[in-house]
Amino acid sequence: MNFQILLITLAVLAVIGLFFLGRELFQRGVRMRNRLHMSAIYTNITHELLTPLTVISASVERLREKEPSNEQDYDLMQLNIERMVRLLQQILETSKSHSGELKLLVAQGDIMQYIRRTALCIEPLMAKKGLTFNIHCKPESMMGWIDTDKLDKIIYNLLSNAAKYTQGENGEVTLEAQTNKKYDHIIIKVRDNGIGIPQEKMKRLFRRFYDGDYRRQHTFGTGLGLALTRDLVYLHGGNIECESEEDKGTTFTVTIPINKESFQPSQIDESHKIDINTAPSAILDIARRMHKQEPEDKDIPQIDIDEEAYKLLIVEDNIELLMLMSQILGSKYHVHTATNGKEALDIIHRTELDIIISDVMMPVMNGLELTRRLKSDPNFKHLPIILLTAKTQEEDRNEALQIGADSYVTKPFKVSDLELRINNIVENRKRIQVEFTNQTAPPEPQSNAAPTADELFLKRAYDCVQKHLDDSDYDRDTFAADMGASASTLYNKLRALTGLSVSGFIRDIRMKEAMRTLQNQPEIRISDLAYKVGFRDPKYFSTCFKKEFGMQPTEYIESLSTSQQTSADR
């Protein structure tokens, strides 16, 4: 009886086990079919996207021929087209690798020269980040068999990854290429002294869609680069290894065969030789355009902009977006540029500025830290800051506003929307300017309470100008020295409190004093009045007076006489 129960129990357990095993196999098959289906979808979408990009690229070239004057805009469009193509090609390669369709086609040529030429194409990117970039090939020349398309991607992914996680100043990236003792393999080492990789993350390093420390480093990544690199190395029958130590750096070592015997007949292209003078398509855009598009720490050329136009600082590490915003906003404002928060701080401390537009995620110093530092500094806390970010969560927006950001714009955004935010800030400053210029008396505290720091600052600024009212050489630099501040700090505070520039503030006080003098001494000669309020040229004084009050000094005197006569007749 017990034996029968045992058999029944075992049978039931077997049925249950088979049921769960069957379900697991079924679900695994469904997942596999879904994965293959999605892979096919991604491949089809990628192919479909490449077609319109080709049309767009051809259209850009036609426009270049018809309207060559817009060359910079065409370069910007072509650069981003090529980057999209490169990303789509990487997705295609990953999809092919996943489905086992990735194929090699090797040709013979000078491998060392080709590696050197390929690596040199990414040198402008290293220079832009302030990194020291070294290339060592031993021997200098070496014939062998390689698939140039695959090798381009291996070198590009490893070097761009090294640049991504290595900071400037003392940052260094080195590529070494050498052969083994039998001269049938090539060994490529890419070494950096960047942030390194924690040991617990090493096991997942080559996993697809593993995003590493992109967020911590404020960089962008798809999670495909290293996974595809490993697949391409394995496709060669090679090997890839990684050694890393946190805060000291990382070394990737790739070993691949280069002798003809290592490849199948179907993988060998006998009809073509490697052309080392052909630029690698994977990194062509960086070599060709980055050097001439790189923004410098200087004003963007302006087009008929008023001297009193507002001054913007745009902080953005994406060179193309930085250029685009600079070109568009440069037609209305004086524009300065920086590629990270540290560069921005250097510019802010020595430049007169009205508004800061900053990306949030940047290397060296991000936008949040830049905002935090400025808003905690009494000299710069008045500067309006507009933050740009790809983060769309409510908590991200709240964090930005809590540390003092004046506005928050999420990517992707229309430049017209950004202009609207800028215009709102400018209009607010203009209202402040109108209120201040309409004041006929010196600034006084607005309550019986103790004056605020801003009220004391304005009173001291007014007294400084009044003290040197007849000194035509009293300019903004001398004014700043008397106030114990830098010219940029004085500008920032006066612009925030009065809506006026430093020169505008001095001129406003002089014009108001001229009006009071005319009211008290209408018989005074215009030339004497001009000298009395610090103008060398009476004609220029009259021009400024009319711009300020809408009439010439003589017309104002006549209006005073008419007003007095009318009062007497009454």
Side-chain angles (χ1 to χ4, degrees):
M1 185 67 179
N2 291 337
F3 182 69
Q4 290 178 338
I5 293 174
L6 179 61
L7 284 177
I8 293 171
T9 302
L10 290 174
V12 171
L13 291 174
V15 170
I16 293 173
L18 289 172
F19 170 78
F20 283 108
L21 177 61
R23 189 176 69 170
E24 175 63 27
L25 291 174
F26 174 77
Q27 291 176 342
R28 187 179 301 175
V30 170
R31 287 195 297 268
M32 180 63 70
R33 285 194 298 273
N34 289 340
R35 191 179 298 118
L36 293 174
H37 181 61
M38 291 304 298
S39 178
I41 290 175
Y42 289 143
T43 301
N44 292 336
I45 290 174
T46 302
H47 278 294
E48 291 300 318
L49 287 173
L50 286 170
T51 300
L53 282 174
T54 304
V55 174
I56 295 171
S57 180
S59 300
V60 170
E61 291 307 314
R62 284 188 62 190
L63 287 172
R64 192 191 297 272
E65 293 175 3
K66 291 182 178 180
E67 297 289 340
S69 59
N70 299 319
E71 181 182 358
Q72 196 172 28
D73 292 324
Y74 302 141
D75 282 347
L76 193 61
M77 288 186 280
Q78 196 64 42
L79 172 61
N80 282 278
I81 289 170
E82 290 175 3
R83 287 193 168 181
M84 287 182 69
V85 169
R86 189 176 66 237
L87 180 59
L88 291 171
Q89 287 174 339
Q90 185 153 288
I91 294 173
L92 273 176
E93 293 287 286
T94 302
S95 179
K96 289 179 181 178
S97 174
H98 194 66
S99 60
E101 297 178 3
L102 204 56
K103 305 297 181 185
L104 272 181
L105 188 62
V106 299
Q108 189 180 34
D110 192 328
I111 299 173
M112 291 299 186
Q113 288 296 317
Y114 191 83
I115 290 174
R116 178 178 291 277
R117 293 289 183 92
T118 302
L120 281 172
C121 285
I122 205 171
E123 187 174 32
L125 178 61
M126 302 291 183
K128 176 60 192 170
K129 292 200 65 177
L131 304 176
T132 301
F133 185 39
N134 306 303
I135 304 173
H136 303 298
C137 295
K138 298 179 183 179
E140 292 290 331
S141 178
M142 176 71 187
M143 298 299 290
W145 295 80
I146 56 170
D147 184 325
T148 55
D149 177 64
K150 306 299 186 291
L151 190 60
D152 289 344
K153 292 179 173 63
I154 291 172
I155 292 174
Y156 175 79
N157 284 331
L158 291 179
L159 287 177
S160 62
N161 191 72
K164 195 174 295 180
Y165 295 111
T166 305
Q167 303 301 340
E169 297 179 359
N170 298 320
E172 185 173 354
V173 176
T174 300
L175 181 142
E176 296 177 357
Q178 62 185 43
T179 60
N180 63 344
K181 293 181 179 180
K182 294 182 179 181
Y183 299 99
D184 59 356
H185 283 71
I186 190 167
I187 303 166
I188 301 172
K189 290 181 180 286
V190 174
R191 181 183 300 110
D192 66 68
N193 61 350
I195 64 170
I197 305 168
Q199 288 301 313
E200 65 271 14
K201 296 185 178 182
M202 292 288 285
K203 293 180 180 179
R204 304 190 299 275
L205 190 60
F206 295 105
R207 185 182 298 174
R208 282 192 185 89
F209 308 117
Y210 175 63
D211 64 356
D213 281 334
Y214 293 116
R215 293 177 181 83
R216 183 159 69 95
Q217 287 300 106
H218 308 296
T219 59
F220 170 77
T222 61
L224 294 176
L226 288 180
L228 178 59
T229 300
R230 178 201 58 186
D231 293 346
L232 294 175
V233 171
Y234 287 174
L235 183 65
H236 285 80
N239 186 45
I240 182 169
E241 297 177 347
C242 177
E243 297 178 0
S244 185
E245 188 173 349
E246 283 192 84
D247 300 320
K248 290 191 176 181
T250 303
T251 300
F252 283 92
T253 303
V254 170
T255 304
I256 57 175
I258 57 171
N259 59 328
K260 187 177 180 181
E261 294 73 24
S262 296
F263 305 103
Q264 300 295 326
S266 61
Q267 297 175 328
I268 298 172
D269 183 2
E270 295 272 12
S271 59
H272 296 90
K273 302 293 183 182
I274 297 173
D275 183 3
I276 62 172
N277 294 314
T278 302
S281 60
I283 49 183
L284 175 63
D285 56 319
I286 294 176
R288 188 167 62 196
R289 296 189 176 89
M290 193 166 182
H291 69 281
K292 70 177 180 180
Q293 293 196 11
E294 180 177 329
E296 299 177 3
D297 174 18
K298 60 181 180 181
D299 288 347
I300 299 297
Q302 308 296 319
I303 305 173
D304 298 329
I305 299 179
D306 190 337
E307 181 184 353
E308 291 294 314
Y310 279 71
K311 301 171 178 64
L312 311 183
L313 172 62
I314 305 175
V315 193
E316 170 63 61
D317 62 329
N318 182 286
I319 303 301
E320 297 79 45
L321 181 56
L322 181 61
M323 287 181 57
L324 181 64
M325 289 192 291
S326 299
Q327 289 174 20
I328 294 174
L329 298 176
S331 62
K332 297 181 181 178
Y333 307 100
H334 292 293
V335 175
H336 300 262
T337 60
T339 57
N340 60 63
K342 185 175 183 297
E343 286 182 17
L345 278 179
D346 293 338
I347 295 173
I348 290 165
H349 282 94
R350 54 185 169 81
T351 309
E352 297 177 352
L353 295 169
D354 293 302
I355 302 172
I356 296 173
I357 303 162
S358 176
D359 188 21
V360 170
M361 298 181 67
M362 297 181 295
V364 185
M365 181 189 295
N366 63 37
L368 294 178
E369 179 61 24
L370 173 64
T371 303
R372 189 177 291 109
R373 291 198 185 191
L374 292 177
K375 294 301 182 178
S376 62
D377 188 329
N379 293 321
F380 300 104
K381 66 180 182 180
H382 303 94
L383 271 174
I385 300 176
I386 301 173
L387 289 180
L388 312 174
T389 181
K391 295 182 176 181
T392 59
Q393 298 298 318
E394 186 67 22
E395 55 266 27
D396 297 319
R397 179 177 180 276
N398 290 340
E399 181 185 8
L401 296 177
Q402 284 171 2
I403 64 174
D406 297 86
S407 191
Y408 188 86
V409 181
T410 57
K411 297 179 181 179
F413 61 87
K414 296 179 181 178
V415 177
S416 58
D417 292 339
L418 177 60
E419 284 186 290
L420 181 61
R421 309 293 178 94
I422 296 171
N423 290 338
N424 288 340
I425 293 174
V426 169
E427 289 303 317
N428 184 55
R429 288 288 179 89
K430 287 181 177 178
R431 283 192 291 271
I432 295 173
Q433 178 179 339
V434 170
E435 291 175 4
F436 182 82
T437 54
N438 285 339
Q439 295 175 3
T440 57
E444 294 291 342
Q446 298 181 358
S447 66
N448 295 324
T452 66
D454 289 342
E455 290 171 341
L456 290 173
F457 176 85
L458 279 179
K459 181 66 169 62
R460 192 155 60 92
Y462 181 87
D463 291 342
C464 279
V465 177
Q466 278 290 136
K467 185 178 179 181
H468 300 86
L469 196 65
D470 61 349
D471 183 0
S472 59
D473 292 325
Y474 194 71
D475 57 14
R476 59 186 180 182
D477 292 327
T478 312
F479 184 16
D482 287 346
M483 292 291 292
S486 66
S488 61
T489 300
L490 180 62
Y491 176 93
N492 294 334
K493 294 195 72 169
L494 283 178
R495 188 69 123 169
L497 297 174
T498 68
L500 297 168
S501 65
V502 177
S503 300
F505 181 81
I506 296 173
R507 186 167 54 248
D508 180 76
I509 293 175
R510 285 175 168 164
M511 289 296 100
K512 288 175 179 176
E513 183 62 30
M515 176 180 277
R516 283 191 290 270
T517 301
L518 286 175
Q519 291 170 351
N520 297 324
Q521 306 175 45
E523 72 283 356
I524 191 172
R525 293 196 307 171
I526 302 303
S527 58
D528 291 340
L529 177 60
Y531 302 141
K532 178 181 175 65
V533 294
F535 282 82
R536 290 194 184 96
D537 184 358
K539 290 184 178 179
Y540 180 61
F541 164 74
S542 297
T543 301
C544 292
F545 192 95
K546 183 174 183 179
K547 183 178 180 181
E548 187 81 11
F549 302 115
M551 61 182 75
Q552 296 280 355
T554 52
E555 294 173 335
Y556 182 70
I557 293 173
E558 290 176 4
S559 69
L560 287 175
S561 299
T562 303
S563 177
Q564 291 173 357
Q565 183 63 44
T566 302
S567 298
D569 293 341
R570 290 178 181 175

